[in-house]
Amino acid sequence: MEWSIKKAILLTASLCAIFCVSIFGGFEQTVEARAQVRVADREMKKSRDYQSSPLYERAHRIIYGMNPPQGPEGRIRIAIVINGDENIIVKNRVKDEIYAQLRRKFPREEFAVMKGTDITTKLLQYAEDQFYDDRGTASVTSSADGSTGTARPDSGVVSGVLHGVTDFLYGASGTSRPGHDTHMTKNERLDVDGVPVRMQPRGMADLRRSDYVRAGRECDYDYVFVATLTNGAAVDTKHNFVLFNSITNHKNIWLRLRFVDTESGDYLYRNDIAVQGEAHNGSRDSGRILQRAVREAMKEALDDISVTY
């Protein structure tokens, strides 16, 4: 009888233990299964229009579930950060040109080239925390993007013909017109390179190499590639012919490139590159001319960087 009582007590204790484990284990699993919010890892596609197959997506979910490992493992991770003057970086052609050249330079098999959304968030947080009290004021009397909406004095068919005949008879070959005819007063500190920040958020203007290194390490990147695009001079050259006139647009762009090695804490590559884009009968602010300028700047920069195996 006594033995039966002991067995009953042990059985009851065992059942209680199993019940408690089930309850708390289930609770723990429920907590772990809750949705999580984080900045997405956005690796650049193999090509601009590349789409992964539904079969790959299903297999990925089966293997990893809804919480896959953060970031591609086993490859060198490079974060891409693009910033600069608004009228340049707003053009999709410009960003696509940068991404296309980076794909060719850093093969997907060896490098995970990431759109640095996570590191951008870190950098902007640093800037907000450090430089909030140093904001300046600005007074703007004209547009700040280096362009103007004023009509040319010889615009129109009749005026073009008259100027064309005059230039043909007197041998004129073209007239240069200055590009930056804007007026802006901005009582504000310059950026880290001594360049004025135009009518846009200061963003990363005050950040230095140590900030990029710190953010890169916190976000687990091997390198941080920061491209800052800035307006240079622009000139429209007018050519008047007998029956028509034409315009040749020249636009200078500065690419200020910082390629940071997060392990050493130094720049692997640092350069300020000025290039010129050219187009005809367009606008000095068009995506076409800006893309051509950025193409030349990126080519020069990436030719200076060697990838060895």
Side-chain angles (χ1 to χ4, degrees):
M1 184 68 178
E2 183 179 351
W3 175 245
S4 299
I5 294 173
K6 288 183 179 179
K7 286 178 63 177
I9 293 173
L10 290 173
L11 180 61
T12 303
S14 300
L15 290 174
C16 288
I18 293 172
F19 179 76
C20 291
V21 168
S22 300
I23 291 294
F24 290 107
F27 177 74
E28 183 179 353
Q29 291 176 0
T30 303
V31 171
E32 290 180 354
R34 290 182 62 188
Q36 297 179 355
V37 180
R38 62 178 176 85
V39 177
D41 254 4
R42 299 183 60 199
E43 183 175 359
M44 288 200 311
K45 300 177 181 178
K46 292 182 180 179
S47 62
R48 181 182 175 186
D49 300 321
Y50 174 80
Q51 296 291 336
S52 58
S53 67
L55 179 62
Y56 171 84
E57 294 294 338
R58 286 198 296 270
H60 195 262
R61 284 197 296 270
I62 291 172
I63 296 171
Y64 295 115
M66 296 306 294
N67 297 302
Q70 188 169 4
E73 300 299 331
R75 292 178 291 162
I76 297 173
R77 285 169 54 89
I78 304 176
I80 308 301
V81 178
I82 302 174
N83 66 104
D85 285 347
E86 172 189 353
N87 65 301
I88 304 175
I89 62 173
V90 75
K91 307 293 186 184
N92 287 331
R93 283 177 176 231
V94 169
K95 289 177 284 190
D96 290 341
E97 182 63 39
I98 294 174
Y99 294 147
Q101 293 205 36
L102 288 171
R103 288 189 190 99
R104 292 193 295 269
K105 186 68 179 182
F106 302 108
R108 189 181 179 93
E109 294 74 21
E110 300 290 336
F111 297 91
V113 183
M114 315 296 291
K115 295 182 179 179
T117 50
D118 50 354
I119 199 169
T120 298
T121 300
K122 288 279 187 186
L123 292 169
L124 291 177
Q125 179 174 309
Y126 298 163
E128 180 179 314
D129 292 343
Q130 296 175 29
F131 302 104
Y132 179 81
D133 294 329
D134 296 329
R135 300 301 182 229
T137 60
S139 174
V140 181
T141 57
S142 182
S143 63
D145 62 358
S147 63
T148 177
T150 306
R152 294 184 175 86
D154 60 340
S155 60
V157 177
V158 176
S159 179
V161 171
L162 293 176
H163 280 79
V165 172
T166 304
D167 287 354
F168 178 77
L169 293 176
Y170 291 98
S173 60
T175 304
S176 293
R177 187 166 180 270
H180 282 285
D181 48 3
T182 63
H183 303 281
M184 178 177 63
T185 301
K186 189 170 186 179
N187 301 319
E188 186 172 35
R189 293 182 305 120
L190 304 178
D191 72 8
V192 70
D193 292 325
V195 178
V197 180
R198 300 186 182 276
M199 295 296 101
Q200 59 202 32
R202 282 190 71 84
M204 304 172 195
D206 303 293
L207 298 181
R208 298 184 294 177
R209 174 175 48 84
S210 58
D211 296 309
Y212 296 112
V213 171
R214 176 163 61 119
R217 289 174 178 173
E218 290 181 3
C219 296
D220 195 25
Y221 287 108
D222 299 292
Y223 299 96
V224 181
F225 186 99
V226 185
T228 303
L229 301 168
T230 310
N231 282 294
V235 174
D236 295 340
T237 303
K238 177 172 80 284
H239 304 280
N240 290 320
F241 302 99
V242 174
L243 298 178
F244 64 93
N245 57 14
S246 68
I247 302 292
T248 301
N249 313 107
H250 295 91
K251 174 67 177 177
N252 295 347
I253 295 291
W254 281 94
L255 169 61
R256 293 181 278 159
L257 187 58
R258 291 170 165 84
F259 197 22
V260 183
D261 183 342
T262 59
E263 182 177 359
S264 69
D266 295 325
Y267 287 126
L268 177 69
Y269 179 77
R270 173 72 177 90
N271 205 354
D272 298 328
I273 302 172
V275 292
Q276 185 176 86
E278 178 180 313
H280 299 282
N281 299 318
S283 164
R284 66 179 72 122
D285 204 32
S286 70
R288 180 177 55 172
I289 194 171
L290 294 174
Q291 180 187 15
R292 290 176 178 176
V294 170
R295 178 184 300 150
E296 293 302 315
M298 283 292 297
K299 183 179 184 304
E300 181 176 341
L302 293 180
D303 283 347
D304 290 338
I305 300 172
S306 175
V307 178
T308 58
Y309 299 94

